[in-house]
Amino acid sequence: VYSIGVDLGGTKICTGVLDEQGTLLHSLEIPTLAEGGPDAVIARIRQTIDEVLDRYAQDEIAGIGVGAPGPLNPHTGMVLGPPNLPGWDSIPLRDELRQMYSLPVYLENDANAAAVAEHRYGAGVGSRHMVYITVSTGIGGGVVIDGQVRQGAAGGFAEIGHTIVDPAGARCRCGNRGCLEAVASGTAIARMGSEVYQRPVTAEQVAEWAAAGDAKAQQVLDTAFRYLGIGLINVVNLFDPDLIVIGGGVARIGQPLFGALRQALRSNYFRKSYGMDVPIVPAQLGSKAGVIGAAALPLLARERA
Ligand SMILES: [Zn+2]
């Protein structure tokens, strides 16, 4: 049996077929063209599904899983107005796809989908209580407890990027001040870098210059890493994980980032009495984690049934 995954992002749609061993068999990517609005984007999603579905008989397909940017509600299957998908205010994406294909369809937050993928097939295999954090233009999270990626009441579970780590910090795109995402994401690194250099710079440039020994760039990274460390201390105190997996573009900074985060966790006085070092490791599935995790959703649902 096979399963179809759709990773819906603000800039691209990636759709693929997964087998039960977690191998991504075919995948294709097209631009989202999000400015076209929900109907046009759903038509493009459909185009990608039709293309991969064409190779299989209907009864070989366990279902369709969709990972989409939050806010969304996985229980109702509604997308609730993500900032990077204009016009998607209360769009019943799951039910529309169900009607089109007469297959089980599951909708999940993109970071949760990536957490499913890393837990089943990537860096988190064997972990019982895993926290996955993706640090890229935004910051997202997924939490595995007792081997299952958890959902909350409304779909806002483990929104680590919107936990507040500096009440006087920069305004977040959500409206709050000092969210982790607003002070430690790739976007935040680029913003802080642009302030320091008095011209527009990217997070990649800041990372590159810091690696080459530029002190100003290093200071920007240190600020972001310090906030990430605070976020991670909160995560460890809340969820008591046995493993933390970090993905997203900023994770490619590698050792300087992971070293700073390990250092931060060692400064968590509260945990000292537990005598435990929580391992922090890089994600393994890269940019395909979203589509793999989305495709895993129907397989998970079958296993539970
Ligand atoms: Zn926020």
Side-chain angles (χ1 to χ4, degrees):
V1 68
Y2 303 95
S3 182
I4 293 179
V6 179
D7 182 16
L8 169 61
T11 54
K12 56 189 191 230
I13 299 164
C14 181
T15 297
V17 178
L18 198 73
D19 69 14
E20 281 177 289
Q21 286 70 49
T23 308
L24 192 61
L25 300 175
H26 318 282
S27 70
L28 60 109
E29 231 175 71
I30 65 170
T32 307
L33 308 180
E35 61 284 0
D39 289 345
V41 171
I42 291 170
R44 294 175 69 72
I45 292 172
R46 185 174 191 174
Q47 180 192 325
T48 64
I49 294 174
D50 288 345
E51 202 167 321
V52 294
L53 205 52
D54 204 35
R55 303 161 181 259
Y56 300 90
Q58 180 97 358
D59 62 357
E60 289 181 296
I61 301 292
I64 300 169
V66 182
L72 59 76
N73 187 327
H75 310 295
T76 61
M78 303 279 281
V79 179
L80 303 170
N84 51 356
L85 292 176
W88 287 67
D89 311 313
S90 300
I91 299 295
L93 177 60
R94 182 192 67 192
D95 289 352
E96 289 199 22
L97 292 175
R98 267 188 194 165
Q99 274 172 12
M100 286 172 190
Y101 293 101
S102 310
L103 282 168
V105 180
Y106 303 89
L107 177 70
E108 187 54 276
N109 175 289
D110 49 11
N112 276 2
V116 167
E118 290 293 343
H119 182 247
R120 269 179 84 95
Y121 309 115
V125 170
S127 163
R128 235 181 125 62
H129 306 289
M130 180 195 97
V131 174
Y132 169 80
I133 302 175
T134 171
V135 188
S136 55
T137 52
I139 294 182
V143 172
V144 171
I145 295 172
D146 275 324
Q148 305 272 351
V149 172
R150 293 295 159 173
Q151 296 174 332
F157 193 72
E159 285 290 2
I160 291 154
H162 300 282
T163 56
I164 294 169
V165 294
D166 181 0
R171 184 79 67 186
C172 183
R173 62 187 175 142
C174 77
N176 287 340
R177 199 173 266 290
C179 289
L180 185 59
E181 172 170 305
V183 296
S185 61
T187 312
I189 292 170
R191 189 196 60 241
M192 292 188 284
S194 302
E195 281 163 16
V196 166
Y197 292 98
Q198 302 276 300
R199 64 187 165 87
V201 301
T202 65
E204 289 82 359
Q205 285 173 317
V206 173
E208 216 174 278
W209 297 335
D214 183 308
K216 284 195 285 188
Q218 189 57 51
Q219 242 168 33
V220 169
L221 285 192
D222 286 345
T223 303
F225 293 173
R226 188 167 53 81
Y227 284 125
L228 280 173
I230 293 170
L232 237 54
I233 287 173
N234 292 337
V235 157
V236 166
N237 290 350
L238 280 169
F239 298 111
D240 190 16
D242 59 42
L243 180 71
I244 297 171
V245 177
I246 313 269
V250 173
R252 285 200 290 270
I253 290 173
Q255 177 47 36
L257 168 67
F258 285 86
L261 296 182
R262 288 182 189 120
Q263 184 68 41
L265 286 197
R266 279 195 293 270
S267 75
N268 179 7
Y269 288 104
F270 173 74
R271 289 289 297 195
K272 286 203 167 149
S273 41
Y274 289 90
M276 280 175 69
D277 231 1
V278 184
I280 311 173
V281 300
Q284 283 178 1
L285 302 175
S287 62
K288 292 290 187 233
V291 65
I292 292 172
L297 298 173
L299 301 175
L300 277 170
R302 268 170 89 106
E303 286 166 17
R304 267 187 229 126

